[in-house]
Amino acid sequence: MDLSAIVEDSCARDWETVDADTVDPVRFAVIGLGWFTKGRALPALEASDRCEPAVMVSSSTEKAERIAAETDGADHGITYDEFHDGAARDAYDAVYIVTPNALHLKYVETAAEFGKAVLCEKPMERDSERAARLRDTAADAGVELMIAYRMHTEPAVRRARELIADGYVGEPMSVTGDMSQRLLDRIDPNPDQWRLDAELAGGGALFDIGIYPLNTARFLLDADPLAVTGNTSSTHDAFGEVDETVAFSVEFPDEVYGQCYASHNARQSSGITVTGTEGQVRVEPAFFQDQSRQLHVSRGDGRASVTVEKVDQMLEEFDYFADRLRGDAPIRPDGDHGLVDMHAMEAIYEAAETDRWVSVD
Amino acid sequence: MDLSAIVEDSCARDWETVDADTVDPVRFAVIGLGWFTKGRALPALEASDRCEPAVMVSSSTEKAERIAAETDGADHGITYDEFHDGAARDAYDAVYIVTPNALHLKYVETAAEFGKAVLCEKPMERDSERAARLRDTAADAGVELMIAYRMHTEPAVRRARELIADGYVGEPMSVTGDMSQRLLDRIDPNPDQWRLDAELAGGGALFDIGIYPLNTARFLLDADPLAVTGNTSSTHDAFGEVDETVAFSVEFPDEVYGQCYASHNARQSSGITVTGTEGQVRVEPAFFQDQSRQLHVSRGDGRASVTVEKVDQMLEEFDYFADRLRGDAPIRPDGDHGLVDMHAMEAIYEAAETDRWVSVD
């Protein structure tokens, strides 16, 4: 992995194991038809050679059928209740769960009952106890479970990870990451949405966007948190129940320290930087889908910035998931991986309440 | 303050109050003739219209006289003992103290006795108790005291500060800063120098370079820490006594959070970023003198990077100090300002020992 290879082949799908032409596409039941599904997920499923958006699942028959009619490859529009009752169960192979966090478990329970593979949005659930049940439910039923961390198939992040694994930065020493946006600007005119509801979301900025620098730090370092501390704050009434802003620190093994920031009330910004004894690798912008990625590296006397072609991150993620379902390679990130973030985020909230460092179980 | 003005006039000496041609230059006794003095300070004093490097003070007459002979404008080379005894006391108006931290106080005591103004390197001393005595010594004698934070007269940092004060980023929400270098590579073949000696330095990476992001964060935000936490670590034997690496978090008023990192064992890196509700301002590279500064801003839909001419930071600092001595404007950063860093850094060490957040007195 050298820089020339990165420039030339930055978007290589190095994870591919199965020729798409030799296998049937994976047919999805898409559970939850909010703006993210309509704007990001369905276009990716429509564009994919490996996937089909077969079944739309929503709160009303009318909405589900309307979106099914608008979506290439969708033949069914059913309600949540009908889904649980087994409607159209022969029409899909896997479920993609993109509901409020606290509803993930019950859809996984039904998918497990029907023997369907699961791609579940992050964070896994609203708390670690339910996330553990979610993982166990899939394992007990023998269905595949992947947590939808799209940074794991984001080319710029993968190239950064390869550089780090190959020793480009020497021994990693620190990681810094941030993600911020003006959520209230984005979701207007519907401010009272589930992301602000503690019962449905489980957490605020940390669960929704702080999980990006947290999880990407883990992915880049290939290491998990030992202890965390942090602070949360809110300035808007809409964030009365959950954190609007979080600043947190993570102790990784080998005295590698992480410092992360996430806010729903700050200028859009996103980046992650790993500094080692010999070099530095930074992806910035990093986490928002509508921006091209830049990979900034420095080592020795020089520094360079590589602009990585923008890919459809949801397409990469869906195609990876389908590749794994149709092949034999293990599927990652799995439920155990997602559960580590749940424990870490709960520890950050505990630390914020108690003003101390909290070990991550 | 708009971007066009910054591009056009980025190195403006907006702090100037006195025409250099109308006043006598400030004659310095330079106390401590190590590599920083010889490589950075003396060339600046030689180049300055406002200052003269009149008296060289070192451990031996031979060294002091040799360097005086090599330095334009230096007429005296004396020992530390001779300095305390009043040698050449009519030949200088001010002292520049660039000795190991734990020796600052005694030179300030002598300077105060002789009625000389003081420019004292940061950190003020090896601990806050001695730093407070240093401040009081100067105040009681009525001599001017400035702590040598060269970022306060670094043009890129000043422009960033003006943008923030003018509301460019909206309400500041977070600040992130780092400074790292491979100190052992730099000081070879003399690894057992005073920066690694706890008695002389008071602290390691935090005191030596962590103070840059800490203090620059304060300067950019115009705010002081309320509480801190952090971790320290060392991997090399040479750093047995002091921290080689420090990662620390700072709570500022109004729920603004700072996250800083400094290491003597990581790839050279330095930057500081303030993210607000509306925009972001970043200086990177920021703290090493041999790199041009870049000021990166984003707001609305766009982002821009401005390369700021490299200035001689020591010349800016000395000339500012001289301007203030010859004029009536208050001199900043003063001893009270420097003492805040001493308290904050001691609190960071306490936090690292106790794994909790510590209030800054």
Side-chain angles (χ1 to χ4, degrees):
Chain A
M1 179 54 49
D2 65 18
L3 284 184
S4 301
I6 285 180
V7 171
E8 190 152 338
D9 229 9
S10 60
C11 293
R13 288 182 149 193
D14 55 302
W15 44 260
E16 278 190 332
T17 61
V18 175
D19 184 343
D21 293 336
T22 65
V23 293
D24 290 333
V26 173
R27 301 166 305 156
F28 281 84
V30 178
I31 304 172
L33 305 177
W35 68 266
F36 185 85
T37 302
K38 287 181 282 185
R40 303 292 190 187
L42 294 181
L45 288 171
E46 290 178 312
S48 171
D49 296 329
R50 296 175 178 269
C51 305
E52 281 179 5
V55 181
M56 302 292 108
V57 188
S58 189
S59 50
S60 75
T61 303
E62 182 279 328
K63 180 176 181 184
E65 290 187 344
R66 174 169 48 80
I67 292 174
E70 294 166 2
T71 304
D72 285 347
D75 298 321
H76 302 270
I78 63 176
T79 67
Y80 296 130
D81 288 341
E82 290 167 342
F83 170 78
H84 289 301
D85 291 340
R89 63 185 281 187
D90 295 331
Y92 59 93
D93 311 304
V95 299
Y96 171 51
I97 301 172
V98 60
T99 63
N101 303 334
L103 308 179
H104 290 176
L105 174 58
K106 70 177 182 183
Y107 292 104
V108 172
E109 287 171 343
T110 297
E113 180 189 337
F114 297 160
K116 307 298 185 183
V118 176
L119 176 61
C120 179
E121 268 301 334
K122 77 219 162 290
M124 281 175 80
E125 250 285 350
R126 92 175 161 218
D127 60 46
S128 61
E129 185 272 327
R130 291 175 63 84
R133 281 166 56 198
L134 189 159
R135 174 198 59 183
D136 295 343
T137 297
D140 292 347
V143 301
E144 297 276 17
L145 169 64
M146 173 173 153
I147 312 304
Y149 291 103
R150 57 186 158 79
M151 287 303 123
H152 290 227
T153 42
E154 158 57 43
V157 171
R158 288 185 77 85
R159 299 299 88 78
R161 186 174 192 249
E162 288 160 16
L163 283 171
I164 294 164
D166 285 358
Y168 189 86
V169 305
E171 293 296 320
M173 298 283 291
S174 87
V175 55
T176 309
D178 74 290
M179 185 171 190
S180 58
Q181 61 179 357
R182 295 290 296 266
L183 180 67
L184 293 180
D185 293 350
R186 289 166 60 111
I187 62 176
D188 186 84
N190 178 24
D192 67 338
Q193 61 132 290
W194 69 263
R195 283 181 174 75
L196 309 183
D197 181 327
E199 280 300 302
L200 284 174
L206 176 58
F207 270 46
D208 198 31
I209 54 176
I211 197 171
Y212 280 82
L214 170 63
N215 185 266
T216 308
R218 293 176 54 205
F219 185 61
L220 289 177
L221 297 173
D222 196 18
D224 290 340
L226 299 177
V228 295
T229 191
N231 285 294
T232 59
S233 64
S234 298
T235 60
H236 280 63
D237 290 343
F239 285 95
E241 292 193 333
V242 296
D243 48 301
E244 176 184 295
T245 294
V246 60
F248 59 98
S249 301
V250 182
E251 181 187 352
F252 288 100
D254 301 320
E255 296 185 318
V256 176
Y257 296 107
Q259 297 181 305
C260 299
Y261 180 80
S263 179
H264 280 313
N265 187 32
R267 159 75 188 175
Q268 182 172 316
S269 173
S270 79
I272 191 151
T273 305
V274 174
T275 305
T277 49
E278 307 293 337
Q280 187 176 70
V281 170
R282 183 158 71 96
V283 183
E284 197 271 324
F287 303 132
F288 291 103
Q289 297 203 67
D290 50 356
Q291 297 177 302
S292 286
R293 273 78 186 117
Q294 285 209 304
L295 183 62
H296 311 269
V297 300
S298 71
R299 188 181 157 94
D301 293 331
R303 42 197 284 167
S305 293
V306 177
T307 300
V308 177
E309 280 286 302
K310 193 164 70 174
V311 299
D312 181 333
Q313 292 182 337
M314 296 307 295
L315 178 59
E316 297 297 299
E317 181 175 74
F318 284 129
D319 278 1
Y320 166 87
F321 179 71
D323 181 273
R324 289 302 184 269
L325 289 192
R326 293 296 181 237
D328 299 323
I331 197 160
R332 298 277 184 279
D334 62 10
D336 288 329
H337 182 91
L339 194 57
V340 171
D341 283 341
M342 298 302 303
H343 286 301
M345 292 191 297
E346 288 175 345
I348 290 165
Y349 284 136
E350 182 186 339
E353 293 245 325
T354 57
D355 275 0
R356 58 189 182 87
W357 285 78
V358 175
S359 293
V360 180
D361 299 334
Chain B
M1 177 57 47
D2 64 18
L3 284 184
S4 300
I6 284 180
V7 170
E8 189 152 341
D9 230 9
S10 59
C11 293
R13 290 182 149 194
D14 56 301
W15 44 260
E16 278 189 332
T17 60
V18 176
D19 184 342
D21 295 335
T22 64
V23 292
D24 289 332
V26 172
R27 301 166 304 155
F28 282 83
V30 178
I31 303 173
L33 305 179
W35 68 266
F36 184 86
T37 303
K38 286 182 283 185
R40 303 292 190 187
L42 294 182
L45 288 172
E46 289 178 313
S48 171
D49 295 331
R50 295 175 179 270
C51 305
E52 281 178 6
V55 181
M56 300 293 107
V57 188
S58 189
S59 50
S60 75
T61 303
E62 183 279 329
K63 181 177 180 183
E65 288 187 344
R66 174 169 49 80
I67 292 175
E70 294 165 3
T71 303
D72 285 347
D75 298 321
H76 302 270
I78 63 176
T79 66
Y80 295 131
D81 287 341
E82 289 167 344
F83 169 78
H84 289 301
D85 291 340
R89 65 184 281 187
D90 296 330
Y92 60 93
D93 311 303
V95 299
Y96 171 50
I97 301 173
V98 60
T99 64
N101 302 334
L103 307 180
H104 291 176
L105 174 57
K106 72 177 181 185
Y107 293 103
V108 171
E109 287 171 344
T110 298
E113 180 190 336
F114 298 160
K116 307 297 185 184
V118 176
L119 176 62
C120 179
E121 268 301 333
K122 78 224 157 289
M124 280 176 82
E125 249 285 353
R126 87 171 166 222
D127 61 44
S128 62
E129 184 272 326
R130 291 175 63 85
R133 280 165 57 197
L134 189 160
R135 174 198 59 185
D136 295 342
T137 298
D140 292 347
V143 301
E144 297 276 15
L145 169 65
M146 173 174 154
I147 312 302
Y149 291 103
R150 57 188 158 79
M151 287 305 123
H152 290 226
T153 41
E154 158 58 42
V157 171
R158 289 185 77 84
R159 299 298 88 77
R161 185 173 193 249
E162 288 161 15
L163 282 170
I164 294 164
D166 283 358
Y168 189 86
V169 305
E171 293 296 320
M173 297 285 290
S174 88
V175 56
T176 308
D178 74 291
M179 185 171 191
S180 58
Q181 62 178 357
R182 296 289 296 266
L183 181 66
L184 293 180
D185 294 351
R186 290 167 60 111
I187 63 176
D188 186 84
N190 178 23
D192 68 337
Q193 62 133 290
W194 69 262
R195 284 182 173 75
L196 308 182
D197 182 328
E199 279 299 302
L200 283 174
L206 177 58
F207 269 47
D208 197 32
I209 54 177
I211 197 171
Y212 279 83
L214 170 63
N215 185 266
T216 308
R218 293 176 54 206
F219 184 60
L220 289 178
L221 297 173
D222 197 17
D224 290 340
L226 298 177
V228 295
T229 190
N231 285 291
T232 60
S233 64
S234 297
T235 60
H236 281 64
D237 290 344
F239 285 96
E241 291 193 335
V242 296
D243 49 301
E244 175 185 295
T245 295
V246 62
F248 60 97
S249 301
V250 182
E251 182 186 352
F252 287 100
D254 301 321
E255 296 185 316
V256 176
Y257 296 107
Q259 297 181 305
C260 299
Y261 179 80
S263 179
H264 280 313
N265 186 32
R267 159 76 189 176
Q268 181 172 317
S269 173
S270 79
I272 192 154
T273 305
V274 174
T275 305
T277 50
E278 307 293 336
Q280 186 177 71
V281 170
R282 184 158 70 94
V283 183
E284 196 272 322
F287 303 132
F288 291 103
Q289 297 203 66
D290 49 358
Q291 297 177 303
S292 285
R293 272 81 187 115
Q294 284 209 303
L295 183 63
H296 311 271
V297 300
S298 71
R299 188 181 156 95
D301 294 330
R303 41 197 284 167
S305 292
V306 178
T307 300
V308 177
E309 269 308 286
K310 193 163 68 174
V311 299
D312 181 334
Q313 291 182 338
M314 296 307 297
L315 177 60
E316 296 298 299
E317 181 175 75
F318 284 130
D319 278 0
Y320 167 86
F321 179 71
D323 181 273
R324 289 303 182 270
L325 289 193
R326 292 296 180 239
D328 298 323
I331 196 160
R332 298 278 184 278
D334 62 11
D336 287 329
H337 183 90
L339 193 58
V340 171
D341 283 341
M342 297 302 303
H343 286 300
M345 294 191 296
E346 288 175 343
I348 290 165
Y349 284 136
E350 183 187 339
E353 295 243 325
T354 57
D355 274 359
R356 59 190 181 86
W357 285 78
V358 175
S359 294
V360 180
D361 298 335

